[in-house]
Amino acid sequence: MKKFFSNKTNIILSAVLIAILTGLLFLIGSFFEKPKIYAVDYSKLTEQEIKAWAENEGITGENLKISYQYDESVEKGKPVSQKPKDGEEIKDILSIVISQGPDPTLAVEVPAIDGMTKETIATWFQRNHFPDVTYEYVLDKDHPKDTVLALNVSGSVKRETPILVTLSAGDNAENVKITVPDFSTYSKTNITAWGESNQVNIKYVYVFSDTIAEGSVIDQGTRAGADISPGGTITVTISSGKAVELEDLYNMTASEAKAWADKNNITLNFINYYSNEVAEGRVISTSPKAHTLVSSGSTVRAYLSIGKDPAEDMVKVDDQHVGVTEAAFLEYIDSLGLKVQKQSYAYYSSQIDKDHIFYYDDGEFKKGATISYALSAGPFNLDLKEIEGKTRSEVSNYMYTINNLNGHLSITYTEEKSTDKADGTVYGCTQTTGAPYYEVACKVAVNESSSSDKTYWIDFDPNGGSGTMARVTFKAGSSYKLPECTFTAPAGKVFDKWDEGAAGESVTVNSNRRMIAQWKDKGSTKTYWVAFDPNGGSGTMATVTVEAGSSYKLPECTFTPPAGKVFDKWDEGKAGESVTVNSNRRMIAQWKDKGSTNTYWVAFDPNGGSGTMATVTVEAGSSYKLPNCTFTPPAGKVFDRWDEGAAGESVTVNSNRRMIAQWKDAAPTPTPTPTPTPTAATTYWIDFDANGGSGTMARVTVNAGSSYKLPACTFTAPAGKEFDKWDEGYPGESVTINGNRRMIAQWKSKAVSTSYLPALEVLDNVEGSSFETKRTNLQNSTFLSPFTNVSYVSSASQNYSAGTIISVSVYGNTSYDAGSYPVDTPIVITISSGYSN
């Protein structure tokens, strides 16, 4: 009889079977699961030990990234930093930065040797990381033993320069003989120390050797056991290790060149460079040159092409065409590939014929740029009928127009009481000087009026410049601070002062006044270009032209950063800082990891004093205020300043820094002279400084010693800025007033507004089948509408149908987190255009 299992039994058996299968799958997954690897503290390991550790853990190839940098505090060959940190899991790449020791190319000012001994000069060279210092002794009866007599260098010297210090051996070494030891077991440091202690000069010669280890002695010139006199010289030959012939890396890709370097134990330091001959991403040349013998383990500079130099598109407009005909000038500009914009007005000139070139923009410009020019109207001829009988306001407007066009007209007024002429009428004009600088004296009618209500105006005369400055009106007898000049200067000129004083000086207003701009020669009109290098980022930034010797404020970076990076600074400073432009310059963008903050240390050197001051850590690019010195000064000395500034001054920290205490002689304590107690002021004033903003805030008077609550700022902020605080505190905070004070407005950049950006799957659900429909829907979507930097690109795809979103990238990264982003965030949406064979 056939027997069947019950349903209950089937259910039990099925459950048991599922449990067994689940356990097997778990065991199989555990067996094949890749074990996690955790970083350790590599700071005490050498580079070779780190590589051996990584290889043992299976971290090879591109998963181990080793880079190099000079470092003032970390021993050569030891790690400066690591990522991930000690104890963190290595998920993808182990990144190690290895110290190359102090930068040998750094130039240091060598001190004067007067009064120095061997101990003091040796300490100085050691502290300043000079690796190649040799000491020689000469007999000298006029100076004590170990007195420094001479150096072979002076001024600013690179650390890698060979230094020869000549010392006095005194006058008692004539018959002294020294036995030369066997140097074969000595290190270079020990040989140098022996030579110094025995007053014997050691000269080192370096040769390559395939058999003798790097740094070992090959030959010592004077044999072991021989005698030598103090002041003599021994030549010691040192092995530079195995020689590697530097291959010609020209036109190799960076990865090809690096593969050769890794194989031959050479470190390549890639430097980006423009090239019109070598394609982007390929090697232009090396330093040393190809086929040079270099030591195994040494560093070679490789210049890597980043494409053609944008400066090739620049052309120079010279300054030799003033006074030529308009047709000749236009032909010249057209030959340079530039465009022109003619000014709608012409300038008066007694030297340049009518309709000939009066001025134009000169300097360096990018091809296709537009420059402006203006023509001459010929000489200005004064007609007093244009003045007589008009109101003073009408005459002022007439003179203002004439002077704006280089007419050189000046009018002085004498007020005359009148009952038959309207108040302000100009009459009785006489010309006192002729062309080209016309001066006219006129009377102006004044009717009776209350002096207490009298007001006067101040106009501004460009005196050959261009532009406008608004008239200002004041009550009679008031004080007026002369403003900065906002006129455009005549060609080749810059503003000097007003005819009645420099900008910022005050004048008392008791009549209508005209302030006439005074110009001076600009000096050099030479210009240079400033270009911008994305250094691995993407996009373009326009090259700018800057006047030679002028200060140029570094702009914000608008390049798209490399994946996982954000902009840190330019190689010559942070955005907003100023640099002086005395040559063509290329600003290279410096990137840092997202969310990371680079820091540097600031240490303190007692320079002959005693005690300690703690090393501090400062965020890269930040401002650090130099502290008071707490070292104990040398005998008879007091602290003067740090070598980079006085205590309380601020320095910008863009590298590890060592502040060296500077001492001065302690002054004798004078007998104090009784000082009469001054009579305390009963009140003080507080003024307010707009600091680049505009508008006015009235002076306030406060009782001496009282507490004053800082007010809200009513100045108009500079463009792109908003008020932050006063230099002495925030509005609403109180300050004690014990002297006249000036509160200076502090501005900050306007906060960038943000908006929420959803995850990719939300964007992908936007309705629409065709590319244009989807693009329209995306542009009209509520979540994208606040963003101002959204772009759409199409791409062929065999995995996505036409109109389907392939990817959305934020800052060039397709793996972004949903959340709030600045509205100017670069967002690129890639949409499939379908697939075609």
Side-chain angles (χ1 to χ4, degrees):
M1 183 182 204
K2 196 171 185 180
K3 187 175 180 181
F4 293 90
F5 291 106
S6 67
N7 289 336
K8 183 175 181 181
T9 303
N10 287 335
I11 292 172
I12 294 172
L13 289 174
S14 298
V16 171
L17 182 59
I18 290 172
I20 292 172
L21 289 173
T22 302
L24 286 173
L25 290 173
F26 175 78
L27 289 173
I28 292 170
S30 300
F31 181 79
F32 288 104
E33 182 181 0
K34 185 179 179 181
K36 294 182 178 179
I37 303 173
Y38 294 91
V40 299
D41 181 4
Y42 304 102
S43 60
K44 300 296 189 294
L45 303 181
T46 66
E47 179 180 349
Q48 294 305 318
E49 290 170 337
I50 293 171
K51 288 180 177 178
W53 181 92
E55 184 176 0
N56 186 59
E57 297 292 339
I59 303 173
T60 58
E62 295 184 354
N63 293 327
L64 177 61
K65 180 181 179 182
I66 294 183
S67 56
Y68 305 86
Q69 70 178 42
Y70 292 119
D71 193 281
E72 300 293 310
S73 61
V74 179
E75 178 186 349
K76 182 178 180 181
K78 291 297 180 67
V80 176
S81 63
Q82 66 179 72
K83 189 176 180 181
K85 296 179 180 178
D86 180 20
E88 294 180 350
E89 182 185 355
I90 304 174
K91 295 181 178 179
D92 187 10
I93 294 175
L94 173 59
S95 179
I96 306 289
V97 178
I98 300 293
S99 170
Q100 293 180 289
D103 185 354
T105 65
L106 182 67
V108 181
E109 192 75 20
V110 175
I113 63 172
D114 297 341
M116 276 196 170
T117 65
K118 177 185 176 182
E119 181 181 1
T120 55
I121 195 70
T123 299
W124 188 90
F125 279 122
Q126 181 180 15
R127 187 176 68 232
N128 287 279
H129 306 294
F130 280 75
D132 190 1
V133 182
T134 303
Y135 298 87
E136 68 174 6
Y137 283 86
V138 297
L139 296 176
D140 190 297
K141 65 180 180 179
D142 297 324
H143 295 88
K145 181 177 177 292
D146 286 333
T147 300
V148 179
L149 301 179
L151 297 176
N152 67 326
V153 295
S154 62
S156 183
V157 179
K158 289 185 178 180
R159 287 170 169 168
E160 61 190 0
T161 304
I163 306 296
L164 176 63
V165 183
T166 303
L167 302 168
S168 170
D171 59 355
N172 297 318
E174 187 174 12
N175 298 315
V176 176
K177 297 295 181 182
I178 302 165
T179 301
V180 179
D182 182 359
F183 289 145
S184 63
T185 60
Y186 281 38
S187 68
K188 178 183 175 182
T189 301
N190 291 337
I191 297 172
T192 301
W194 179 89
E196 291 176 358
S197 62
N198 290 281
Q199 303 176 20
V200 174
N201 303 316
I202 306 295
K203 180 180 179 181
Y204 293 102
V205 176
Y206 297 87
V207 298
F208 293 111
S209 173
D210 291 339
T211 58
I212 300 178
E214 181 180 0
S216 297
V217 174
I218 297 175
D219 182 73
Q220 64 181 70
T222 303
R223 64 178 176 80
D227 290 335
I228 190 170
S229 300
T233 300
I234 298 176
T235 300
V236 179
T237 304
I238 302 288
S239 170
S240 294
K242 185 177 180 180
V244 177
E245 182 178 351
L246 181 58
E247 186 169 326
D248 188 354
L249 306 181
Y250 175 77
N251 214 31
M252 283 189 184
T253 65
S255 58
E256 290 170 343
K258 188 175 184 302
W260 176 87
D262 290 344
K263 180 180 177 181
N264 290 276
N265 195 29
I266 298 294
T267 299
L268 287 184
N269 182 14
F270 287 106
I271 300 172
N272 290 335
Y273 216 77
Y274 285 105
S275 173
N276 294 333
E277 292 79 29
V278 180
E280 183 177 357
R282 292 183 175 271
V283 176
I284 304 169
S285 62
T286 57
S287 178
K289 294 180 179 179
H291 307 300
T292 301
L293 292 179
V294 295
S295 301
S296 176
S298 61
T299 298
V300 172
R301 294 182 179 180
Y303 295 92
L304 197 65
S305 171
I306 53 173
K308 291 187 176 181
D309 190 339
E312 294 293 318
D313 292 332
M314 302 294 287
V315 293
K316 181 175 177 61
V317 179
D318 64 37
D319 57 0
Q320 305 301 311
H321 297 269
V322 171
V324 305
T325 65
E326 183 178 16
F329 173 74
L330 294 179
E331 182 179 356
Y332 166 69
I333 295 300
D334 185 62
S335 70
L336 298 178
L338 299 174
K339 301 175 183 176
V340 292
Q341 179 180 0
K342 180 179 179 180
Q343 300 293 349
S344 59
Y345 44 82
Y347 288 89
Y348 293 110
S349 174
S350 57
Q351 289 84 32
I352 300 175
D353 293 339
K354 184 178 180 180
D355 294 331
H356 286 57
I357 300 298
F358 179 83
Y359 93 89
Y360 61 92
D361 299 329
D362 59 2
E364 289 190 349
F365 301 90
K366 193 170 184 178
K367 287 183 179 179
T370 299
I371 66 169
S372 63
Y373 73 98
L375 299 177
S376 167
F380 168 65
N381 296 309
L382 175 64
D383 183 356
L384 292 180
K385 293 179 182 178
E386 297 291 337
I387 301 174
E388 296 263 359
K390 302 258 191 331
T391 66
R392 187 164 177 173
S393 175
E394 290 171 336
V395 173
S396 295
N397 290 336
Y398 170 74
M399 184 172 65
Y400 177 80
T401 300
I402 294 300
N403 285 334
N404 267 350
L405 298 176
N406 204 41
H408 304 298
L409 173 60
S410 175
I411 303 176
T412 57
Y413 296 98
T414 302
E415 294 185 348
E416 297 282 347
K417 292 183 179 180
S418 175
T419 57
D420 60 344
K421 291 183 176 63
D423 187 58
T425 301
V426 176
Y427 67 101
C429 296
T430 58
Q431 180 180 316
T432 56
T433 62
Y437 297 97
Y438 292 96
E439 293 184 2
V440 177
C442 295
K443 298 178 181 179
V444 59
V446 178
N447 300 151
E448 293 292 338
S449 61
S450 171
S451 60
S452 62
D453 296 330
K454 185 87 173 161
T455 59
Y456 295 105
W457 50 256
I458 296 179
D459 278 346
F460 301 91
D461 187 327
N463 188 24
S466 59
T468 61
M469 289 183 66
R471 169 181 289 187
V472 291
T473 304
F474 294 91
K475 193 171 183 179
S478 62
S479 179
Y480 174 62
K481 186 181 288 185
L482 293 173
E484 294 293 332
C485 175
T486 60
F487 292 127
T488 300
K493 301 286 185 180
V494 293
F495 180 71
D496 182 17
K497 61 179 181 177
W498 301 104
D499 60 330
E500 297 200 26
E505 294 181 0
S506 295
V507 293
T508 301
V509 183
N510 279 316
S511 63
N512 293 325
R513 308 277 275 280
R514 180 170 300 279
M515 301 297 169
I516 303 174
Q518 308 296 302
W519 309 103
K520 61 183 179 180
D521 291 338
K522 183 185 291 186
S524 171
T525 57
K526 186 175 179 62
T527 59
Y528 293 106
W529 52 257
V530 179
F532 302 92
D533 187 328
N535 189 22
S538 58
T540 59
M541 289 182 65
T543 297
V544 296
T545 302
V546 182
E547 184 180 336
S550 64
S551 179
Y552 174 65
K553 184 178 289 187
L554 294 173
E556 294 295 332
C557 174
T558 60
F559 291 127
T560 300
K565 301 287 184 179
V566 293
F567 179 70
D568 181 19
K569 60 179 182 176
W570 301 105
D571 60 328
E572 297 202 25
K574 297 178 75 67
E577 293 180 352
S578 295
V579 293
T580 301
V581 180
N582 281 315
S583 63
N584 293 326
R585 304 281 277 278
R586 190 169 307 285
M587 303 299 169
I588 303 174
Q590 308 295 300
W591 309 104
K592 61 182 179 181
D593 292 338
K594 274 188 179 178
S596 69
T597 301
N598 294 331
T599 60
Y600 295 106
W601 52 256
V602 180
F604 303 92
D605 188 325
N607 189 22
S610 58
T612 59
M613 288 182 66
T615 297
V616 297
T617 301
V618 182
E619 183 178 341
S622 64
S623 179
Y624 174 65
K625 185 178 289 186
L626 295 172
N628 291 322
C629 174
T630 60
F631 292 127
T632 300
K637 301 286 186 179
V638 293
F639 180 71
D640 181 18
R641 60 197 301 276
W642 301 104
D643 61 329
E644 297 201 26
E649 292 182 358
S650 294
V651 294
T652 301
V653 180
N654 281 317
S655 63
N656 294 326
R657 306 281 275 278
R658 188 172 301 280
M659 304 298 169
I660 304 174
Q662 309 295 301
W663 309 104
K664 62 182 179 181
D665 293 335
T669 305
T671 303
T673 302
T675 303
T677 303
T679 303
T682 57
T683 62
Y684 293 107
W685 50 257
I686 300 176
D687 278 347
F688 300 91
D689 188 324
N691 189 23
S694 58
T696 59
M697 287 183 67
R699 170 181 289 187
V700 294
T701 303
V702 182
N703 291 331
S706 64
S707 179
Y708 174 67
K709 186 177 289 186
L710 294 173
C713 173
T714 61
F715 291 127
T716 301
K721 301 287 186 180
E722 61 185 3
F723 180 71
D724 182 20
K725 61 177 182 177
W726 300 106
D727 61 328
E728 297 200 24
Y730 290 91
E733 294 181 352
S734 295
V735 292
T736 301
I737 305 302
N738 283 313
N740 294 326
R741 305 279 274 278
R742 181 174 301 280
M743 302 296 172
I744 303 173
Q746 308 296 300
W747 308 103
K748 62 183 180 181
S749 298
K750 280 187 177 179
V752 178
S753 61
T754 61
S755 187
Y756 183 80
L757 186 64
L760 173 60
E761 58 267 22
V762 178
L763 292 175
D764 202 18
N765 287 332
V766 175
E767 294 181 359
S769 57
S770 69
F771 177 89
E772 290 302 327
T773 302
K774 180 157 287 192
R775 176 172 175 168
T776 301
N777 289 342
L778 283 169
Q779 290 171 324
N780 294 335
S781 61
T782 56
F783 49 76
L784 276 183
S785 57
F787 291 94
T788 60
N789 192 10
V790 181
S791 58
Y792 298 84
V793 297
S794 61
S795 177
S797 173
Q798 57 183 333
N799 298 319
Y800 294 88
S801 58
T804 302
I805 294 178
I806 298 174
S807 66
V808 177
S809 66
V810 177
Y811 293 114
N813 187 353
T814 56
S815 299
Y816 69 91
D817 296 324
S820 293
Y821 287 83
V823 295
D824 60 353
T825 297
I827 300 172
V828 178
I829 299 177
T830 303
I831 299 179
S832 171
S833 59
Y835 175 70
S836 63
N837 294 322

